[in-house]
Amino acid sequence: MRSLRILLLNSARRWIGEAAHTFTLARALESRGHWVLLGVRKGFELEKRAAAEGLRSRAFTLNSRFIPWDDLRDTRAIRQILRDEKIDLIQVNRGKDHWLAAAAQLFATRPPVPLIRARHVVTPAKAHWVNRWLYSRATDAVLSVSQAARASLGPLAALAAHGDPRRDRVLYSAVDSGLFSPNWRSEAIRKQLGVSPDEIVIGLVGRIQRIKGQRPFLDAAAQVARQYPHTRFVLAGRGTPEQTQTLREYAENAGLPRENLIILGVVDNLPQIMAAFDIGVVASLGSEGHSRVTLEYMASGLPIVATRVGGIPELLTEGAEGFLIEHGNPDLLAQRLETLVADPELRRHMGQAGRQTAQTRFHPDRWIGEVEEFYYTVLRCASPDR
């Protein structure tokens, strides 16, 4: 197969799952010999990371709101890139990217470039006439990160597929099981955290935000700590000092002893920190079109307790790699955590199962190979005149 010239657009401001997904995809496609240009929002995290990694990128305004002059400037810039760089295919990842890429081709002199809409979220899309036009007339295919994300599009996914199921695919992401690995486990790291060898460390990784479920996690932690005082609970993820203080106060009011809680904020050595955990928790109350951290826990060899939201049940098998529970139920979360704390053999068995799943089902070569196959299929199937 010939190498492709691909434009990836993502207007995310924060380093969220879909931004990380797009960034990883750009690197993986380049490693397979494709020419990739990453279109990003100027002044935000994705631009900074692309520059740090030496990825080919172009910064646009990509305002979330409709601002005519900015949008027109971005549209013209995208159109010029399509022409000058002889782009074979565009993948867009958010609504603003989608509209600008479609607009850039409305009055182009050359045939339109096949446009793929990647779907990362589970928030239902509105099937009003404007979106129906966008998906039926200006889109060639849909690539979803989970069945839950695909379902959120409703009838729009079928419109984008133009009656061809090959253009409507669900492809699960991947995890680097060399970067995230139980081999990183180190008593030195645990000592830095203030954890003794006989203590059980239960961690939740995610930005401090209500949807990530830090409060139900702390409610459950207080229950577990009463039964098992040798447990320590770690929160890692981006948050303001005010948010951190609020969580500390919440934990204290819930009855979790101060010495049992460690709040790290953003860490540079996340794979090493994660390997220092004994149990990984995803306590999200919603969202999670995919769940990057679930795969990272698996690759790190951790048993997992995760909420049954979004695409998480598609990644984790109940009773195999861990437990699935209903969201917002700290009592049930505490019960599952206590089961794992009390049974080191179960922790070991589930951790090994997760590691095996990460290395097979979610291997990066599998993922990028399927993405490439999908791209070539779309190029073969897309109608020049839509």
Side-chain angles (χ1 to χ4, degrees):
M1 294 288 188
R2 67 181 180 91
S3 62
L4 302 177
R5 300 180 68 82
I6 302 164
L7 174 61
L8 296 178
L9 292 175
N10 193 310
S11 56
R13 292 181 299 172
R14 295 175 298 175
W15 185 251
I16 55 178
E18 64 188 65
H21 181 104
T22 306
F23 179 82
T24 303
L25 177 60
R27 288 199 307 183
L29 288 169
E30 280 198 344
S31 73
R32 305 278 279 217
H34 302 290
W35 186 96
V36 180
L37 178 63
L38 185 58
V40 299
R41 191 166 181 167
K42 187 175 182 178
F44 289 94
E45 188 70 19
L46 197 48
E47 180 187 18
K48 297 173 185 175
R49 300 230 182 185
E53 291 287 329
L55 286 176
R56 186 183 295 108
S57 65
R58 172 75 178 271
F60 300 91
T61 305
L62 295 176
N63 280 307
S64 301
R65 295 172 295 150
F66 174 62
I67 301 179
W69 290 113
D70 288 343
D71 292 347
L72 180 59
R73 184 165 52 248
D74 283 346
T75 299
R76 287 174 171 171
I78 292 170
R79 181 184 300 172
Q80 184 174 358
I81 288 169
L82 297 180
R83 181 185 65 245
D84 294 349
E85 301 297 347
K86 297 180 173 56
I87 299 297
D88 294 306
L89 181 144
I90 312 169
Q91 178 174 313
V92 296
N93 294 273
R94 296 171 69 85
K96 191 57 177 276
D97 323 339
H98 197 172
W99 279 106
L100 292 179
Q105 302 202 81
L106 276 179
F107 305 106
T109 56
R110 58 169 285 178
V113 174
L115 189 154
I116 296 172
R117 172 59 194 266
R119 185 69 174 175
H120 300 270
V121 300
V122 296
T123 305
K126 296 179 180 179
H128 48 63
W129 72 268
V130 180
N131 270 347
R132 290 199 301 272
W133 176 89
L134 177 64
Y135 279 82
S136 64
R137 302 296 297 169
T139 309
D140 292 281
V142 170
L143 177 58
S144 303
V145 298
S146 66
Q147 293 290 348
R150 194 269 179 202
S152 72
L153 284 173
L156 298 177
L159 291 177
H162 304 278
D164 188 340
R166 294 175 299 172
R167 298 201 217 177
D168 179 7
R169 290 288 303 278
V170 171
L171 295 180
Y172 297 102
S173 189
V175 63
D176 185 340
S177 57
L179 178 61
F180 289 90
S181 168
N183 294 333
W184 288 116
R185 188 174 179 89
S186 163
E187 289 305 322
I189 293 290
R190 286 168 65 90
K191 187 175 181 180
Q192 289 176 18
L193 295 175
V195 175
S196 62
D198 62 333
E199 289 182 308
I200 302 298
V201 179
I202 301 171
L204 185 153
V205 176
R207 66 186 181 276
I208 298 178
Q209 189 177 22
R210 178 189 173 277
I211 198 71
K212 293 299 182 181
Q214 280 92 2
R215 292 192 176 195
F217 173 75
L218 292 174
D219 288 329
Q223 295 184 45
V224 175
R226 283 194 290 270
Q227 184 71 21
Y228 297 96
H230 66 295
T231 50
R232 301 291 293 276
F233 299 87
V234 176
L235 292 175
R238 189 183 305 277
T240 65
E242 293 76 17
Q243 288 174 317
T244 298
Q245 181 59 30
T246 297
L247 285 181
R248 290 193 185 280
E249 293 172 357
Y250 186 89
E252 184 176 349
N253 292 334
L256 179 64
R258 180 179 293 270
E259 62 269 19
N260 288 71
L261 177 62
I262 303 167
I263 301 182
L264 298 177
V266 177
V267 294
D268 295 327
N269 59 337
L270 182 59
Q272 290 82 1
I273 294 293
M274 199 173 281
F277 297 169
D278 296 289
I279 302 168
V281 174
V282 185
S284 299
L285 304 178
S287 189
E288 303 296 350
H290 194 257
S291 178
R292 185 163 50 107
V293 73
T294 297
L295 300 188
E296 291 168 353
Y297 286 154
M298 285 185 185
S300 299
L302 301 179
I304 303 165
V305 182
T307 49
R308 198 184 297 273
V309 299
I312 292 176
E314 301 171 43
L315 310 178
L316 174 67
T317 303
E318 165 68 21
E321 299 91 359
F323 295 117
L324 288 165
I325 63 171
E326 297 309 310
H327 69 275
N329 189 334
D331 294 339
L332 185 54
L333 175 55
Q335 291 174 21
R336 294 294 183 263
L337 290 175
E338 288 174 2
T339 297
L340 288 169
V341 169
D343 193 338
E345 181 58 25
L346 180 62
R347 294 200 304 271
R348 186 189 66 81
H349 178 76
M350 286 184 165
Q352 288 179 345
R355 176 73 176 168
Q356 179 66 23
T357 299
Q359 291 179 311
T360 53
R361 186 181 173 204
F362 299 111
H363 194 281
D365 287 346
R366 184 278 310 165
W367 171 57
I368 195 61
E370 290 181 348
V371 170
E372 281 183 309
E373 178 188 2
F374 181 67
Y375 284 176
Y376 290 125
T377 297
V378 171
L379 285 167
R380 287 194 297 267
C381 295
S383 170
D385 59 3
R386 303 227 201 281

